[in-house]
Amino acid sequence: MALLELKNIEKHYGDQVVLERLNVSVEEGEFVSIVGASGCGKTTFLKMLLGTESATKGQFLLDGKPISQEPDAQRGVVFQRYSVFPHLTVIGNVMLAEEFSTARWLGRVWGKKRQEIRERARAMLDQVGLLSAQNKYPHQLSGGMQQRLALAQALMKQPRILLLDEPFGALDPGIRNEMHLLISNLWERHRLTIFMITHDLKEGFSLGSRLWVFDKVRHDPQAPDRWGASITYDIPLDRQPAGKATLTPTLSLRERENNDTDQSPLLGESPELDQSPLLGESPELDQSPLLGERARVRAS
Ligand SMILES: Nc1ncnc2c1ncn2[C@@H]1O[C@H](COP(=O)(O)OP(=O)(O)OP(=O)(O)O)[C@@H](O)[C@H]1O
């Protein structure tokens, strides 16, 4: 059974149709990169996955059952802007969510249980390369370190699904490369299913096992809110779902970076795709002959 199944999903805000005709299924362990023009509904889609927004129409199924309408431990999220607590140390931030779920009312635990949580938090910080900064406060960290902290926080709850909303968008290119290796590692190690919004098409191609393009199929110039975006391209990429790769993703990614060229057949053949207008205001991706060959167009 698919992990996630969407049947004729629509999302409206008042008279504005933001998303429509979403019909798609996702298997456990996939890494779905999501691209699309600004304002086309990518974050709204992620919020429906998280449970902070509900679909206006259609069925949104997780493990074959309607998805819970409020966030739960199965789904972790990292936003572009650092979402950490400034008054807590690095380790305090990572321990917090676990402390709250263990001691719901006071949010504090003591003794052996606290020690256990601390050990888990230290192990998680080690995985994201932040153990040596455990006693620092967020303002003492670089942007990349703050995003590592946000990842550690999200993973502490052992989610099955990780939602990333432009997680590396505010980082310098060198730091972004490091974060790409890290997220690949975490994806494989924790066997996560990841949905990542990005405005960087190259990033989407190199990290994902699948790439979705959100765009409007129907336009009414007189009433721009009348139609919403759908998934116009659903492109399978070379990477295997987490836990099924023969090469570790980290290795294959490092190889790509050492070669300093992207091995994606699409980007390799056509670097211009990097400048695709799909990332700007007026996506016309269906004009691309390269994508035309490989993409499975789901929306009609
Ligand atoms: N809570 C809300 N109430 C009303 N309209 C909303 C709400 N949230 C989003 N919208 C509208 O829905 C549309 C899609 O917004 P969304 O943030 O999902 O786009 P996006 O593709 O993530 O954009 P970007 O790439 O710029 O972040 C926008 O027109 C936005 O104004």
Side-chain angles (χ1 to χ4, degrees):
M1 186 204 302
L3 173 72
L4 199 76
E5 206 164 350
L6 275 64
K7 297 182 181 170
N8 277 323
I9 287 293
E10 288 189 21
K11 177 67 186 175
H12 306 184
Y13 285 117
D15 291 338
Q16 181 186 10
V17 181
V18 176
L19 295 167
E20 61 173 351
R21 300 187 189 187
L22 295 186
N23 287 295
V24 75
S25 63
V26 175
E27 300 294 326
E28 189 113 44
E30 291 202 68
F31 190 139
V32 183
S33 297
I34 299 174
V35 297
S38 184
C40 72
K42 302 178 299 295
T43 299
T44 301
F45 173 75
L46 230 58
K47 285 180 181 168
M48 287 196 287
L49 261 175
L50 184 62
T52 55
E53 288 286 353
S54 54
T56 310
K57 290 185 188 168
Q59 281 186 294
F60 210 120
L61 306 175
L62 180 66
D63 294 323
K65 300 185 200 94
I67 197 162
S68 153
Q69 290 302 306
E70 52 185 57
D72 60 31
Q74 290 201 72
R75 293 162 280 173
V77 66
V78 175
F79 296 103
Q80 177 179 12
R81 293 286 161 195
Y82 325 118
S83 50
V84 294
F85 295 100
H87 60 290
L88 292 177
T89 59
V90 163
I91 192 151
N93 263 286
V94 179
M95 290 174 68
L96 186 69
E98 197 62 20
E99 288 185 304
F100 262 118
S101 60
T102 309
R104 280 191 102 93
W105 302 111
L106 288 175
R108 299 285 297 178
V109 281
W110 286 273
K112 197 162 168 245
K113 186 71 198 163
R114 185 170 168 76
Q115 195 50 35
E116 270 171 36
I117 294 175
R118 179 175 290 275
E119 283 316 309
R120 281 196 48 227
R122 282 171 54 85
M124 195 53 74
L125 286 173
D126 197 20
Q127 281 182 39
V128 300
L130 272 189
L131 192 52
S132 59
Q134 62 173 317
N135 294 320
K136 292 192 169 175
Y137 285 87
H139 74 270
Q140 298 172 302
L141 306 180
S142 68
M145 289 165 90
Q146 293 204 25
Q147 283 308 69
R148 286 170 188 271
L149 174 55
L151 275 171
Q153 259 183 336
L155 292 175
M156 190 68 179
K157 302 288 293 172
Q158 300 178 295
R160 290 168 76 196
I161 302 173
L162 186 61
L163 307 170
L164 305 174
D165 195 346
E166 292 184 62
F168 315 128
L171 305 178
D172 293 338
I175 308 289
R176 284 176 84 127
N177 286 344
E178 279 177 26
M179 295 299 283
H180 291 167
L181 292 172
L182 176 65
I183 197 68
S184 281
N185 242 329
L186 295 171
W187 175 48
E188 180 71 12
R189 182 173 192 151
H190 294 272
R191 300 187 172 222
L192 296 162
T193 305
I194 297 183
F195 293 84
M196 178 187 73
I197 295 175
T198 177
H199 280 108
D200 179 346
L201 190 54
K202 188 171 167 189
E203 177 175 276
F205 272 111
S206 60
L207 289 181
S209 61
R210 181 172 180 180
L211 183 126
W212 290 350
V213 179
F214 276 56
D215 192 11
K216 284 190 186 189
V217 180
R218 303 184 281 183
H219 296 267
D220 182 344
Q222 309 305 322
D225 291 344
R226 183 168 172 205
W227 309 115
S230 321
I231 299 170
T232 50
Y233 287 91
D234 181 353
I235 306 170
L237 302 174
D238 291 340
R239 306 185 81 198
Q240 296 288 311
K244 295 192 181 153
T246 42
L247 265 181
T248 72
T250 310
L251 252 186
S252 57
L253 199 72
R254 189 169 287 141
E255 278 167 7
R256 287 172 200 199
E257 290 187 346
N258 284 345
N259 290 340
D260 205 25
T261 53
D262 196 284
Q263 298 297 308
S264 155
L266 290 171
L267 285 179
E269 284 162 31
S270 168
E272 317 77 271
L273 199 59
D274 220 5
Q275 273 114 49
S276 161
L278 84 92
L279 300 178
E281 291 80 45
S282 105
E284 284 172 357
L285 198 68
D286 36 359
Q287 309 295 322
S288 158
L290 284 167
L291 282 177
E293 274 169 34
R294 288 192 45 152
R296 279 182 276 141
V297 182
R298 295 270 172 98
S300 54

